Amino acid sequence: MSQGLQLHIEKSHVVMDNGILKVKLSKPDGIVTGIKYNGIDNLLEVLNEEVNRGYWDLVWSEAGSTGTTGTSDVIKGTSFRVIMESEKQVEISFTRLWDPSLQGKSVPLNIDKRFIMLRNSPGFYTYAIYEHLKEWPPFNLPQTRIVFKLRKDKFHYMAMADNRQRYMPLPDDRLPGRGKPLATPEAVLLVNPVEPEFKGEVDDKYQYSCENKDLRVHGWICMDPLIGFWQITPSSEFRSGGPIKQNLTSHVGPVNLAMFLSAHYAGEDLVLKLNPDEPWKKVFGPIFMYLNSVTDGNDPLNLWEDAKNQMMIEVESWPYNFPASDDFPTADQRGSVSGRLQIQDWFLSDECISANFAYVGLAPPGDVGSWQRECKGYQFWTTANADGYFSIKNIRCGSYNLYAWVPGVIGDYQLDDFITINAGCDIDLGYLVFEPPRDGPTLWEIGTPNRTAAEFYIPDPDPKYINKLYVNHPDRYRQYGLWERYADLYPDEDLVYTVGVSDYKKDWFFAQVTRKLSDDTYQGTTWQIKFKLDLVDTNGSYTLRLALATAHISELQVRVNDPKTSPPLFSTGVIGHDNTIARHGIHGLYRLYNVEVPLTQLVDGHNTIFLTQTMASGDFPALQGIMYDYIRFEGPSPSNSKKKTN
């Protein structure tokens, strides 16, 4: 039987209660200290201090700082307000205002954390408004998130996708004596776990990372009683880095995270850096913390199925109409954009072809492809249909560029004109034409232009370093230590790929990593691509296109037919801090390089391209390297095929 909402305000706590659950927060801090549901007094870890249960936090650093670290700050409010209180809805606010006397000691932001509970709703919503005034000092913001730490005696089963769910080890299993630290701080080999079934497995929170576009619901199941604790993120508009940016989800603890801004799989390029005299305001969320239960005897995975259904309900309800802040616009205060994207590549077709299933998005104005490094504003993405038609709805008012990229096609599209969104607008952009990079016909190619290295050869892990979830799994690259397998497979000589003979699915290792030597030092590696030109065409130039899926403290040098040429034909310079190899990803930031190959360096008959990753120094040289997305070698453009006009 439903009841109206009740808000209990005590001296140092406030409780929201709708008869289904009670959420207790410290006052005025705004830390979630307790969640009472279905007969359990507190779903959060009661062994932790109150401040270490459910909280918003951030990492910040002084302007001019480099890297992705800084000062960690659990955000505690200094004033509490009731924003709305009725039988149907409660919204409360915990605000912290910046004090200039704390310059250098406190992040120069005003932060307003909001919590909402609705009548008859088995959960609660939270969002926050961050604001930096123009006259305040600039600073860097590498990360902000929400953290929930659940009871380790209750929540043992984690789910984030139909094929990514499992019983998890205990946090105790990662401690000395039970866990053995591996090459990276997050990775631990379980040598004496509390539950013997986990012995010999690797635990690493990065094995459970997920792309923004797929990161909509994840959480934990308690088996006794049968309860689910889920985080539902109905929109990615407030997340940085676009639809394929990867973020942490849930991991051993049991911990449940909502990552709004992070440098994971990208590095410093995704650190938010405010400039002098730059005002900034952003709303993160709302997200929904959803609780569900079934009676004993039911399949526990019904909780996961129900959470997915609830996620779809929340997505359909976006943008919510109930947050009380004027900084969160409702549907009628937003606009929409539609159109059709086509591809013009004369070497594939005389006609434009549809940009099948293209990713199309609006993001703050910038250079071509800048959306993947953008972290100050909002982004709105969709997937075009099989004919290239797209529609983006519920866009916040403002000025944007329209960006796109197409699976199976290299390069990035950007519409030249700015798009201004006003409340209620419905802009039809008509037919848009993307001309991807192309100078001549494809002579050969390696891989598929999809911005990942997933199609290349991914080895079986060392049996000593298994995560059972990823055995015979599509995401086999998430296993620990795969970088070490390169030297096992190529003990003496580096990879050699012969066009027309080799198969990139079997013969192209997924990452060009360093080689460990007998004295435990490392060296760079040189891969070879061997191909045949019957006759070098002297009427034009040849082009080598190198699309990289990720890079970490690497320099890629290109040489043709002479591995000792100095300087090389081409060098990327030192690129990347994505750390994708260490974090079991298969892509980071996308980079495309177009290299003109002089006719004088090619010969009739057999040719070899040498790809050298030179860097092998630093804290973890084993984890330096690059992943290729796609490589294409183009011949000169036939005179009768040079760009036609409509």
Side-chain angles (χ1 to χ4, degrees):
M1 182 169 174
S2 67
Q3 66 173 59
L5 272 168
Q6 295 181 336
L7 181 65
H8 306 283
I9 301 174
E10 303 163 5
K11 182 178 180 182
S12 58
H13 290 89
V14 56
V15 178
M16 299 186 295
D17 179 0
N18 67 1
I20 301 171
L21 74 157
K22 293 182 180 180
V23 178
K24 186 176 185 180
L25 301 103
S26 59
K27 178 169 75 80
D29 294 351
I31 305 292
V32 183
T33 63
I35 301 172
K36 183 175 182 178
Y37 175 72
N38 202 42
I40 298 181
D41 279 345
N42 200 346
L43 304 183
L44 303 181
E45 183 52 86
V46 293
L47 300 177
N48 288 1
E49 299 275 342
E50 284 199 347
V51 74
N52 190 27
R53 297 181 186 175
Y55 54 89
W56 286 74
D57 71 1
L58 58 81
V59 175
W60 73 285
S61 60
E62 298 278 0
S65 302
T66 58
T68 59
T69 59
T71 301
S72 185
D73 177 9
V74 174
I75 302 163
K76 297 179 181 177
T78 54
S79 83
F80 164 74
R81 287 184 300 151
V82 177
I83 302 296
M84 176 183 292
E85 183 179 8
S86 71
E87 283 196 351
K88 293 184 177 180
Q89 177 174 343
V90 164
E91 181 166 343
I92 54 179
S93 161
F94 302 86
T95 305
R96 185 177 79 181
L97 302 180
W98 188 64
D99 182 346
S101 69
L102 295 175
Q103 183 166 342
K105 298 177 183 177
S106 175
V107 60
L109 284 173
N110 286 343
I111 297 176
D112 183 357
K113 298 185 297 179
R114 301 287 184 98
F115 294 85
I116 300 173
M117 182 176 281
L118 303 179
R119 182 175 180 171
N120 296 333
S121 172
F124 62 97
Y125 299 83
T126 182
Y127 67 108
I129 305 144
Y130 290 25
E131 184 173 21
H132 174 265
L133 302 186
K134 177 181 177 181
E135 61 270 22
W136 289 356
F139 70 98
N140 296 348
L141 188 67
Q143 177 173 289
T144 191
R145 62 183 188 170
I146 303 172
V147 183
F148 286 97
K149 297 183 175 179
L150 307 181
R151 283 176 60 162
K152 70 179 182 181
D153 64 332
K154 291 290 185 185
F155 291 92
H156 299 150
Y157 191 89
M158 186 179 85
M160 48 181 297
D162 287 340
N163 66 350
R164 298 180 72 190
Q165 50 184 261
R166 58 166 291 172
Y167 283 98
M168 296 291 284
L170 291 168
D172 313 58
D173 295 336
R174 296 179 52 88
L175 299 176
R178 294 195 180 277
K180 176 186 175 184
L182 295 173
T184 57
E186 298 83 7
V188 171
L189 179 64
L190 307 179
V191 293
N192 184 30
V194 175
E195 299 290 342
E197 65 185 282
F198 300 120
K199 185 173 182 178
E201 283 203 74
V202 170
D203 178 67
D204 186 333
K205 65 183 179 182
Y206 290 106
Q207 292 179 320
Y208 305 104
S209 297
C210 186
E211 294 178 350
N212 282 341
K213 65 182 175 61
D214 302 318
L215 184 45
R216 289 180 165 184
V217 56
H218 64 96
W220 292 84
I221 292 174
C222 165
M223 296 296 176
D224 184 20
L226 286 171
I227 290 174
F229 182 100
W230 309 102
Q231 179 203 119
I232 295 175
T233 303
S235 169
S236 286
E237 68 179 48
F238 41 78
R239 288 174 170 155
S240 58
I244 57 173
K245 165 72 171 75
Q246 296 156 97
N247 276 308
L248 292 170
T249 58
S250 290
H251 59 81
V252 163
V255 172
N256 180 277
L257 299 175
M259 305 295 300
F260 299 121
L261 171 66
S262 85
H264 300 141
Y265 304 93
E268 194 173 341
D269 284 346
L270 262 171
V271 172
L272 190 156
K273 297 183 177 183
L274 289 176
N275 300 307
D277 300 318
E278 181 178 7
W280 177 71
K281 180 189 278 191
K282 189 168 183 178
V283 178
F284 294 106
I287 64 167
F288 185 38
M289 306 311 301
Y290 176 62
L291 306 179
N292 59 3
S293 61
V294 292
T295 55
D296 290 347
N298 278 277
D299 183 350
L301 293 184
N302 288 343
L303 295 166
W304 165 246
E305 294 299 323
D306 175 68
K308 289 192 298 178
N309 291 337
Q310 187 64 40
M311 177 269 289
M312 294 307 301
I313 292 170
E314 301 298 323
V315 169
E316 290 297 317
S317 303
W318 186 271
Y320 297 135
N321 61 9
F322 51 81
S325 172
D326 291 338
D327 291 310
F328 183 77
T330 53
D332 61 352
Q333 297 171 307
R334 298 176 178 232
S336 61
V337 165
S338 60
R340 185 186 188 190
L341 184 64
Q342 296 183 299
I343 300 163
Q344 187 175 75
D345 185 337
W346 295 117
F347 294 95
L348 293 181
S349 171
D350 288 341
E351 306 293 330
C352 283
I353 55 178
S354 296
N356 304 352
F357 310 114
Y359 290 87
V360 185
L362 264 62
D367 299 328
V368 174
S370 61
W371 54 268
Q372 66 173 344
R373 293 174 169 84
E374 198 286 318
C375 51
K376 290 179 180 177
Y378 301 91
Q379 299 197 28
F380 303 86
W381 287 85
T382 192
T383 305
N385 69 13
D387 296 316
Y389 287 97
F390 65 88
S391 176
I392 307 173
K393 302 182 185 301
N394 297 314
I395 307 164
R396 284 171 164 263
C397 294
S399 182
Y400 300 91
N401 275 132
L402 183 129
Y403 305 88
W405 64 275
V406 187
V409 179
I410 61 170
D412 276 276
Y413 172 79
Q414 179 175 334
L415 183 64
D416 291 337
D417 301 327
F418 290 145
I419 295 175
T420 300
I421 299 295
N422 297 307
C425 74
D426 186 2
I427 300 170
D428 184 354
L429 297 172
Y431 284 55
L432 307 175
V433 178
F434 171 33
E435 294 188 46
R438 170 73 76 175
D439 290 323
T442 300
L443 300 184
W444 51 261
E445 58 189 347
I446 300 173
T448 304
N450 55 10
R451 302 195 175 216
T452 89
E455 69 269 28
F456 297 124
Y457 179 71
I458 299 167
D460 290 330
D462 184 320
K464 297 197 301 285
Y465 302 126
I466 296 284
N467 181 324
K468 291 176 184 173
L469 175 61
Y470 296 115
V471 175
N472 299 319
H473 191 283
D475 295 356
R476 52 186 292 130
Y477 57 82
R478 297 189 189 276
Q479 296 281 13
Y480 173 86
L482 297 181
W483 58 86
E484 295 180 348
R485 298 301 323 281
Y486 178 75
D488 296 339
L489 294 165
Y490 301 92
D492 303 312
E493 303 290 337
D494 283 325
L495 184 151
V496 178
Y497 186 94
T498 303
V499 172
V501 176
S502 302
D503 178 352
Y504 67 75
K505 295 177 182 178
K506 300 175 183 175
D507 302 316
W508 190 270
F509 198 76
F510 77 102
Q512 185 169 357
V513 293
T514 54
R515 174 184 295 282
K516 188 176 184 178
L517 304 178
S518 57
D519 61 357
D520 285 345
T521 61
Y522 291 80
Q523 70 178 20
T525 52
T526 297
W527 290 7
Q528 299 178 45
I529 304 172
K530 294 183 177 294
F531 62 99
K532 189 175 181 182
L533 286 177
D534 290 334
L535 188 67
V536 175
D537 187 337
T538 58
N539 293 319
S541 60
Y542 290 77
T543 304
L544 178 68
R545 301 199 190 276
L546 297 164
L548 304 187
T550 192
H552 185 63
I553 317 178
S554 296
E555 179 187 4
L556 178 60
Q557 296 180 353
V558 178
R559 294 174 173 84
V560 179
N561 286 327
D562 181 355
K564 295 187 167 61
T565 304
S566 183
L569 171 62
F570 172 80
S571 170
T572 60
V574 180
I575 54 171
H577 285 87
D578 301 6
N579 216 11
T580 301
I581 296 167
R583 290 174 172 169
H584 329 295
I586 201 66
H587 69 85
L589 294 178
Y590 177 77
R591 299 167 174 88
L592 177 61
Y593 299 97
N594 304 298
V595 183
E596 185 173 328
V597 180
L599 299 174
T600 55
Q601 297 199 14
L602 295 167
V603 297
D604 295 344
H606 295 285
N607 291 265
T608 303
I609 290 175
F610 297 90
L611 302 174
T612 302
Q613 196 297 101
T614 65
M615 302 291 290
S617 60
D619 293 338
F620 295 108
L623 305 176
Q624 290 173 236
I626 60 177
M627 296 182 192
Y628 296 91
D629 165 38
Y630 174 71
I631 302 174
R632 185 167 80 204
F633 192 61
E634 297 174 10
S637 173
S639 56
N640 63 350
S641 296
K642 287 190 176 174
K643 290 196 176 175
K644 305 173 184 177
T645 55
N646 286 328

